[in-house]
Amino acid sequence: MPADQPHGATAASQQPAAQQSAPTAAPAAPARLAQAALRDVPWEIGVAKPDPAIVVDGVTRTFGGLTAVSVDHLEIQRSGITGLIGPNGAGKTTLFNLLTGFDQPNSGTWSFDGRSLGKLSPHQVARLGVVRTFQLTKALSRLSVMQNMLLGAKDQRGEGFFRSLVPGVWRAQEKANTEKALDLLARFKLDAKKDDFAGTLSGGQRKLLEMARALMSDPKVVMLDEPMAGVNPALTQSLLGHVKDLREQGMTVIFVEHDMDVVRDISDWVVVMAAGKVIAEGPPESISQNRAVVDAYLGAHHDAPLTVDEEERVLAEAAAAIAREEGVSGEVLSSESTDREGTQR
Ligand SMILES: Nc1ncnc2c1ncn2[C@@H]1O[C@H](COP(=O)(O)OP(=O)(O)OP(=O)(O)O)[C@@H](O)[C@H]1O
Ligand SMILES: [Mg+2]
């Protein structure tokens, strides 16, 4: 089913001016290429992309009675940055887990470059070039920064035992890996910390380390789960720069982010999930006006914006309903009912 397009516009008539004008304006070449490739793609859920790296079909994952993921069809364009957004619990992390072999679905298939990734372990998926970082960082705190990096290389390439039986090969490999790690650490401004325990790094530095570690295996697709979350604002710009760099190097990036300014800044395409499903996709400027998206974020399904009176009535009704359940006075609760976080969960 087509996603709502703002003002009933067609994809063609809504292309942003920046994409139509001469390429003298800001974005770097890879960004322009990625955006140009997607220029004529309709803003429809499940729409085919000109050059998809990842294709997902009928992937579902349930936990007990809860459907965490139910994606009919999704294509991720190669060498672009796709922002994956959606309210808490939408299924974004679960989808990452499934695509990278950290979890198995109830049904469905998905592929990278036409090769099915179903039933592969995270190692095998990584060896094919698809890596991810975690929402909660998984840097190993009792290892040094450098050891974390080297583990990334071995781990993700699935190398190890047999090679380690041949010392010469192993040493050459380790030297190459160490050099590569130093290069990456310098790029992420972590080289001065290479001998420190990862546990001593700040949250933001751990995120950087995780991203650097993911790059040790020369991936083709990088999935970043909230790379900016918990990162000191002073570091977010450089982190954003690193994400853009991945695109410069031809990588396909999928990243989960809650901050819409960040999403608008770096995404070539945005996929919106809610309650396990993809509810909209399109370029960043198509998303904020999209009714399904607005509804999903508000957690409400109404046909027109609420007036102040209506909102007060809805809140009063909710307070009264909770009061009936809890056996307390509605007035006591009505002052607390604005805590949306509490009532949504
Ligand atoms: N291992 C699990 N067992 C049971 N339920 C789970 C499990 N993992 C996820 N869920 C549930 O699946 C749903 C989707 O969760 P998921 O973590 O994928 O959401 P998300 O979009 O990443 O949210 P957030 O923005 O908060 O990170 C949620 O309702 C969550 O509680
Ligand atoms: Mg998540």
Side-chain angles (χ1 to χ4, degrees):
M1 190 187 71
D4 288 354
Q5 291 192 355
H7 318 302
T10 64
S13 67
Q14 279 287 301
Q15 299 312 312
Q19 288 174 25
Q20 294 172 337
S21 61
T24 46
R32 278 202 314 276
L33 279 176
Q35 286 161 11
L38 292 163
R39 185 182 335 197
D40 297 325
V41 175
W43 307 348
E44 291 172 6
I45 297 166
V47 69
K49 306 297 184 309
D51 183 16
I54 300 268
V55 177
V56 180
D57 265 306
V59 167
T60 62
R61 175 65 162 118
T62 57
F63 295 108
L66 175 96
T67 301
V69 167
S70 174
V71 173
D72 289 340
H73 187 80
L74 177 63
E75 299 189 6
I76 305 292
Q77 172 71 7
R78 188 186 319 280
S79 305
I81 300 181
T82 298
L84 177 60
I85 67 169
N88 296 122
K92 307 177 296 291
T93 296
T94 306
L95 181 62
F96 270 22
N97 289 344
L98 295 171
L99 297 184
T100 51
F102 284 85
D103 188 16
Q104 291 300 320
N106 299 82
S107 64
T109 57
W110 63 105
S111 62
F112 164 56
D113 272 353
R115 185 183 163 154
S116 171
L117 297 184
K119 304 215 166 61
L120 297 187
S121 69
H123 271 203
Q124 292 167 319
V125 173
R127 208 173 330 166
L128 290 173
V130 180
V131 301
R132 54 89 58 90
T133 65
F134 291 86
Q135 185 168 356
L136 301 171
T137 115
K138 294 252 195 290
L140 298 170
S141 53
R142 300 232 191 141
L143 294 184
S144 74
V145 166
M146 177 55 86
Q147 285 168 327
N148 265 279
M149 291 293 283
L150 295 176
L151 202 65
K154 283 201 188 117
D155 235 345
Q156 301 207 321
R157 285 210 170 263
E159 290 168 357
F161 186 67
F162 288 108
R163 276 182 179 248
S164 70
L165 295 177
V166 189
V169 173
W170 184 75
R171 261 185 238 118
Q173 181 69 49
E174 184 166 80
K175 186 160 178 285
N177 282 341
T178 306
E179 278 167 14
K180 190 168 172 185
L182 283 173
D183 264 7
L184 280 166
L185 288 175
R187 247 168 63 198
F188 284 77
K189 300 218 167 33
L190 287 172
D191 42 340
K193 306 258 176 197
K194 73 182 170 61
D195 298 320
D196 295 5
F197 286 123
T200 65
L201 301 180
S202 70
Q205 288 170 329
R206 275 204 293 266
K207 291 263 180 186
L208 288 173
L209 172 58
E210 226 202 322
M211 204 188 293
R213 188 175 61 178
L215 299 180
M216 281 296 288
S217 61
D218 297 323
K220 299 189 177 104
V221 177
V222 182
M223 302 192 195
L224 304 170
D225 198 349
E226 302 199 25
M228 323 286 169
V231 172
N232 181 324
L235 270 179
T236 53
Q237 274 311 317
S238 77
L239 207 58
L240 272 179
H242 288 307
V243 177
K244 289 178 182 170
D245 273 356
L246 304 182
R247 174 178 56 194
E248 304 275 316
Q249 292 158 32
M251 287 179 223
T252 304
V253 180
I254 314 175
F255 81 107
V256 175
E257 177 54 51
H258 284 287
D259 183 331
M260 280 308 290
D261 288 335
V262 170
V263 172
R264 261 191 294 275
D265 179 15
I266 69 170
S267 318
D268 304 308
W269 193 258
V270 177
V271 172
V272 190
M273 286 183 76
K277 293 181 182 304
V278 175
I279 59 159
E281 49 172 310
E285 66 274 16
S286 72
I287 296 303
S288 54
Q289 303 286 317
N290 183 300
R291 172 46 53 94
V293 177
V294 173
D295 280 356
Y297 274 92
L298 289 178
H301 295 273
H302 45 79
D303 294 319
L306 285 181
T307 63
V308 174
D309 282 354
E310 281 167 336
E311 189 164 323
E312 277 176 4
R313 180 179 52 76
V314 170
L315 286 174
E317 279 173 14
I322 296 168
R324 277 197 299 278
E325 274 176 29
E326 311 244 319
V328 293
S329 148
E331 279 175 20
V332 175
L333 275 162
S334 63
S335 61
E336 293 169 11
S337 61
T338 47
D339 173 12
R340 288 175 180 233
E341 190 68 14
T343 51
Q344 272 178 12
R345 283 247 161 187

